[in-house]
Amino acid sequence: AGMNDETFRYFVDFAAEFGLEYVLIDAGWYGDHRDGEADITKPIPELDLPGLAAYAKGKNVRLLVWLNWEAVRDQMDVAFPLYEKWGLAGVKIDYMDRKDQEIVAFYQRTLKTAARYHLAVDFHGAYAGSGEERTFPHWLTREGVMGLEYLKWSDRVTPRHNVTIPFTRMLTGPMDYTPGGFRSVTAAEFAPRNELPVVMSTRAHQLALYVVYDSPLQMLSDTPSAYRGEPGAEFLKVVPATWDETRVLDGKIGEYVVIARRHGSEWFVGALTDAPRKIAIPLGFLGGKAFDATIWADTRDTTTNPNRLSVLPARLEGKSPRPLELSLASGGGAVLHLRPAGGKK
């Protein structure tokens, strides 16, 4: 839409509307994203970053900025205190694409400097997790995973891939997969494309990624117009990105997975599958208590139109010996939002 103030005010307004905490100013805000010598303290003339940060703050939203790692290596001691002065919340650093001694040392230095200036960090082009988040809690997430963007140029991010990485990559820590593709097509209809990219999984599958995948900083990867007024978009306004408790309820690597996560008094359940499948969700994790639930799930029509899903209310009893049974489509899924019975909706 354009790298300018008008575009990002539009994104900030959308974030405020959907209750999102952050907006990312992506590659291009200071110049050529491949230029490791570009000045990351000088936005292009079309962008007033301090002004945008103030505009966002007025709507309870904060800004993150994308950066080339080589520029960060050379300029962080000047840039990071400036970002704090501007009112930025954090940085997304990209293109490391290695795991040698230089890069590991760069991570450590960057994280120490970012902490000094109260900046959160997201590393893209990163190696998979190795526990540093315990030392640096402001390191919210990292890529190190074949995520949804690969569908712009390949057909490798299949539903089978999506139900494999919870058992592999996710075991090492948070992963910034960037879910939320709201243009679903069948596998037979799929073709990679850079503009208005599509996903080969159902709408319910995309919603469930927000529960199944662990990432304290989550992304809505599609454009605002893809979400407004769309079935399932209301779930994106309520699903948290951090959790107090996790229960793996069922799963088989490469086939399906069902995970329940608790945030405060509310539970969220996500289910993903590679192929058509009936699943049974045991309710023992509810501790015998009753919950009012909203269930977003595949329907019979989802087989031919993967954007179709049902949205149904339900009362679930934790003391019930019978599991909740759902039918999932090919590349499908389901997600549940459970609130203590009698509480606020």
Side-chain angles (χ1 to χ4, degrees):
M3 187 62 67
N4 52 56
D5 285 350
E6 183 181 8
T7 292
F8 285 101
R9 283 196 296 266
Y10 175 79
F11 288 153
V12 166
D13 292 346
F14 170 77
E17 176 188 341
F18 270 63
L20 310 178
E21 296 176 70
Y22 305 106
V23 165
L24 173 69
I25 311 266
D26 215 328
W29 69 268
Y30 59 80
D32 184 358
H33 62 101
R34 289 291 181 182
D35 182 2
E37 298 182 356
D39 190 343
I40 59 174
T41 69
K42 294 182 179 178
I44 60 175
E46 294 83 358
L47 283 174
D48 172 15
L49 239 56
L52 281 173
Y55 178 81
K57 183 179 180 180
K59 294 179 176 287
N60 203 29
V61 177
R62 300 195 68 196
L63 301 182
L64 310 170
V65 291
W66 181 99
L67 298 164
N68 181 306
W69 84 272
E70 292 178 309
V72 174
R73 176 194 60 195
D74 299 336
Q75 301 172 52
M76 72 174 79
D77 292 329
V78 176
F80 284 9
L82 182 62
Y83 296 166
E84 182 184 35
K85 182 179 179 181
W86 287 350
L88 304 185
V91 293
K92 178 177 178 176
I93 303 170
D94 208 345
Y95 295 157
M96 291 76 68
D97 299 332
R98 320 195 309 259
K99 193 184 179 182
D100 55 26
Q101 185 177 19
E102 179 188 8
I103 291 299
V104 174
F106 165 75
Y107 280 28
Q108 298 280 322
R109 178 178 161 235
T110 299
L111 291 161
K112 291 175 182 177
T113 306
R116 191 176 308 129
Y117 298 106
H118 310 99
L119 299 172
V121 177
D122 174 9
F123 281 118
H124 262 233
Y127 58 81
S130 48
E132 297 96 334
E133 291 89 348
R134 292 181 64 85
T135 302
F136 302 105
H138 60 300
W139 185 353
L140 300 183
T141 191
R142 68 174 97 193
E143 192 178 25
V145 66
M146 189 166 67
L148 207 61
E149 70 172 335
Y150 274 72
L151 292 181
K152 290 184 175 182
W153 58 81
S154 80
D155 61 358
R156 297 177 63 192
V157 182
T158 62
R160 183 173 179 82
H161 168 74
N162 291 346
V163 295
T164 300
I165 54 178
F167 301 90
T168 53
R169 164 63 180 87
M170 200 169 77
L171 298 182
T172 72
M175 56 183 192
D176 195 6
Y177 170 99
T178 63
F182 261 41
R183 297 181 183 88
S184 296
V185 297
T186 65
E189 296 169 325
F190 177 82
R193 65 192 198 197
N194 197 56
E195 293 188 5
L196 302 178
V198 294
V199 297
M200 60 175 89
S201 52
T202 72
R203 174 74 54 86
H205 184 107
Q206 288 293 314
L207 296 180
L209 295 175
Y210 287 93
V211 178
V212 173
Y213 290 174
D214 176 29
S215 182
L217 178 69
Q218 281 284 22
M219 172 73 77
L220 271 64
S221 63
D222 223 321
T223 189
S225 60
Y227 297 116
R228 285 193 173 106
E230 282 293 309
E234 66 277 10
F235 176 75
L236 302 177
K237 298 180 180 181
V238 298
V239 62
T242 58
W243 309 99
D244 299 311
E245 185 178 355
T246 294
R247 303 284 187 91
V248 180
L249 303 182
D250 199 3
K252 188 173 182 181
I253 187 169
E255 297 187 16
Y256 67 100
V257 61
V258 184
I259 292 181
R261 300 190 192 268
R262 181 178 61 82
H263 182 93
S265 63
E266 299 183 351
W267 283 92
F268 293 78
V269 182
L272 304 172
T273 184
D274 66 330
R277 191 181 312 276
K278 291 186 177 181
I279 61 168
I281 301 176
L283 301 177
F285 70 94
L286 297 178
K289 300 177 182 179
F291 283 76
D292 292 323
T294 304
I295 303 172
W296 293 262
D298 299 325
T299 71
R300 292 180 181 178
D301 297 336
T302 304
T303 301
T304 54
N305 182 357
N307 294 295
R308 296 294 298 274
L309 79 167
S310 62
V311 185
L312 299 172
R315 172 65 66 92
L316 300 181
E317 299 286 345
K319 60 185 177 181
S320 173
R322 297 183 60 183
L324 174 67
E325 297 183 348
L326 296 173
S327 294
L328 308 184
S330 178
V335 70
L336 287 68
H337 178 200
L338 300 99
R339 304 164 299 279
K344 294 182 179 180
K345 292 186 178 180

